[in-house]
Amino acid sequence: MTKADRTRLRIIEASLPLFLEKGYNGTSMRELMSASGVKAGNFYFHFDSKKALALAVMDEAEEIFFDVMNAACEAEGLSPAQKLGAMMGALAALIEARDCAGGCLFANFALEMSDADEDLRERTAAFFERWRLMIEKLVRDARREGELPSNIDSSGFSEYIIMALEGGIMLSRLKKDAAPLKFAFSTLRDHIFSLKEKPTLQDG
Amino acid sequence: MTKADRTRLRIIEASLPLFLEKGYNGTSMRELMSASGVKAGNFYFHFDSKKALALAVMDEAEEIFFDVMNAACEAEGLSPAQKLGAMMGALAALIEARDCAGGCLFANFALEMSDADEDLRERTAAFFERWRLMIEKLVRDARREGELPSNIDSSGFSEYIIMALEGGIMLSRLKKDAAPLKFAFSTLRDHIFSLKEKPTLQDG
């Protein structure tokens, strides 16, 4: 890693918690510069706008997120439905480890910026689509192995998992308490494991 | 209604769509004043800060929201579980009528401001608690009438309904498409009606 690469990474790593807790509009370039400890000329060499920095921070946050999700699924001997459960549990643990502060960067940006900036909206939507595809693969695997009913809408149901978890992260952040997210996780898990036995439920 | 009351209401009604679509930090007092068409002296007579105005806007939005929710539940001949379904359907229709723009003011403020301003966080949390209590009453009624299992966690499950719907609103806003929210609604409805027949699911 070159010195310039290290500086760039330092700016990104210092900016992530600020964007996470204070939002896009609530964070100024001055604060981001100060948090990174990088002088203005060098800072602007790497990021000439808050938007460019936010996009780079989303790239970094996305990699961290999928590293955690993939690690949870790679534990040995898990069935596809168990991998779904492990992934949801890892997410709850990740949020709880931060005492629920900040919540999810992508949901925050989705709600704050999706009517205001089309580039940020598209970048945020791409994150959720990548996550949905990861979950959909597990849903399809579970369906093939008989853990989920053969007629389940794998695309819609994978998005439903994301919706319930993101709503849980929102309420947990608001209440500064991991309990809502954990309840969403356990209810979703029970729901998934119950579907196998009630294959007609997703017909409607 | 006095002239002063009418001016106050005009400011609130002009501010709601701005806060909804651009967020708290993304909206300036200048814009709010311009949208309301009220001169500065008069404007500041009613609201001496953006926060005071945002709190009044939340009061107004909350009344509109509960009017819609209550109207949906008051249709004749609905069982408690059917009232839950009607309420969720009314919410989906409300969001779709705005082409999903803006999403939910309270979720937006929860994610943007709950780590930054304790007054706004508490006001937002009070909205969600009022909504949860409304849903919890229906869940208890449904339990009493045998539409939901006797061992269901009425408090947790009512919060779960909010989480799945709010996650749905978030993704629908992001994708500018009501489909995710409608899928969340129909999956929740199926889930609720399936619980009756599987009373052990909520034991874990």
Side-chain angles (χ1 to χ4, degrees):
Chain A
M1 197 181 259
T2 65
K3 194 177 167 203
D5 287 343
R6 280 198 302 275
T7 302
R8 185 174 185 279
L9 187 59
R10 198 205 304 172
I11 296 171
I12 290 170
E13 288 178 345
S15 301
L16 175 54
L18 282 173
F19 278 130
L20 199 55
E21 297 205 10
K22 305 179 70 173
Y24 184 83
N25 288 315
T27 310
S28 68
M29 281 296 258
R30 182 184 296 266
E31 284 174 285
L32 293 163
M33 208 180 298
S34 163
S36 68
V38 173
K39 287 189 181 135
N42 205 354
F43 188 94
Y44 281 103
F45 169 77
H46 288 286
F47 299 106
D48 61 0
S49 70
K50 185 160 74 170
K51 184 159 136 181
L53 176 51
L55 291 167
V57 165
M58 283 197 267
D59 290 343
E60 176 73 8
E62 181 171 309
E63 291 319 305
I64 295 170
F65 177 83
F66 282 103
D67 283 351
V68 172
M69 293 300 107
N70 286 323
C73 292
E74 278 163 11
E76 270 186 48
L78 296 183
S79 73
Q82 286 171 332
K83 284 182 183 178
L84 277 173
M87 190 206 69
M88 295 191 288
L91 177 64
L94 190 69
I95 297 291
E96 193 172 20
R98 286 198 260 110
D99 291 331
C100 306
C104 165
L105 182 73
F106 296 91
N108 300 350
F109 278 7
L111 291 196
E112 189 183 358
M113 301 308 295
S114 62
D115 289 329
D117 187 294
E118 184 60 15
D119 296 326
L120 293 175
R121 187 191 75 76
E122 284 179 11
R123 180 64 187 82
T124 308
F127 164 82
F128 283 111
E129 182 59 11
R130 181 176 168 191
W131 190 15
R132 195 191 62 70
L133 288 171
M134 181 203 173
I135 296 173
E136 187 175 8
K137 186 187 174 305
L138 294 173
V139 169
R140 285 173 183 271
D141 290 349
R143 190 172 63 183
R144 196 172 48 239
E145 298 196 13
E147 288 185 291
L148 283 173
S150 59
N151 61 348
I152 196 169
D153 175 345
S154 63
S155 170
F157 195 73
S158 54
E159 199 155 72
Y160 179 74
I161 291 173
I162 290 175
M163 293 188 274
L165 292 174
E166 286 291 350
I169 292 172
M170 186 273 285
L171 270 196
S172 278
R173 182 179 183 194
L174 177 62
K175 298 175 87 168
K176 299 180 185 284
D177 179 355
L181 175 58
K182 287 180 179 174
F183 193 88
F185 158 49
S186 63
T187 304
L188 267 177
R189 191 189 46 199
D190 291 350
H191 187 192
I192 289 169
F193 283 105
S194 78
L195 287 172
K196 182 185 176 181
E197 299 154 60
K198 298 188 65 67
T200 57
L201 272 180
Q202 295 294 311
D203 282 346
Chain B
M1 194 181 263
T2 65
K3 193 176 170 205
D5 287 342
R6 280 199 301 274
T7 303
R8 185 176 185 278
L9 187 60
R10 196 205 306 171
I11 295 170
I12 290 170
E13 288 178 344
S15 302
L16 176 53
L18 282 174
F19 278 130
L20 198 55
E21 296 205 11
K22 303 179 70 173
Y24 184 83
N25 287 315
T27 311
S28 68
M29 282 295 257
R30 181 183 297 265
E31 284 173 286
L32 293 163
M33 206 179 302
S34 163
S36 67
V38 173
K39 286 190 181 134
N42 206 353
F43 188 93
Y44 282 103
F45 168 79
H46 288 285
F47 299 105
D48 61 1
S49 69
K50 186 160 73 171
K51 185 159 136 179
L53 176 52
L55 290 167
V57 166
M58 282 197 269
D59 290 343
E60 175 75 7
E62 181 170 309
E63 290 320 305
I64 295 170
F65 177 84
F66 282 104
D67 284 349
V68 173
M69 294 298 107
N70 287 324
C73 292
E74 278 163 12
E76 267 185 51
L78 296 184
S79 73
Q82 287 171 331
K83 284 181 183 177
L84 277 173
M87 190 206 70
M88 296 191 288
L91 177 63
L94 191 68
I95 297 292
E96 192 172 19
R98 286 199 260 108
D99 290 330
C100 306
C104 166
L105 182 73
F106 296 91
N108 299 351
F109 278 6
L111 290 195
E112 189 182 357
M113 300 308 294
S114 61
D115 290 329
D117 187 294
E118 184 59 15
D119 296 326
L120 293 175
R121 187 191 74 78
E122 284 179 11
R123 178 65 187 83
T124 308
F127 164 81
F128 283 110
E129 182 59 10
R130 181 175 168 192
W131 190 15
R132 194 191 63 70
L133 288 170
M134 180 202 175
I135 296 173
E136 186 174 8
K137 186 186 175 303
L138 294 174
V139 169
R140 285 173 183 271
D141 289 349
R143 190 172 63 183
R144 196 172 48 240
E145 298 196 14
E147 290 185 291
L148 283 172
S150 60
N151 61 349
I152 195 167
D153 175 345
S154 63
S155 170
F157 196 74
S158 54
E159 198 155 73
Y160 179 75
I161 291 173
I162 291 175
M163 294 188 274
L165 292 174
E166 286 291 351
I169 293 171
M170 186 273 286
L171 271 195
S172 277
R173 182 179 183 195
L174 177 62
K175 298 174 87 167
K176 299 180 184 285
D177 178 357
L181 175 58
K182 287 182 180 171
F183 193 89
F185 157 50
S186 62
T187 305
L188 267 176
R189 191 188 48 199
D190 290 348
H191 187 190
I192 288 169
F193 283 104
S194 78
L195 286 170
K196 182 185 177 183
E197 299 152 59
K198 297 188 64 70
T200 57
L201 272 181
Q202 294 294 310
D203 283 346

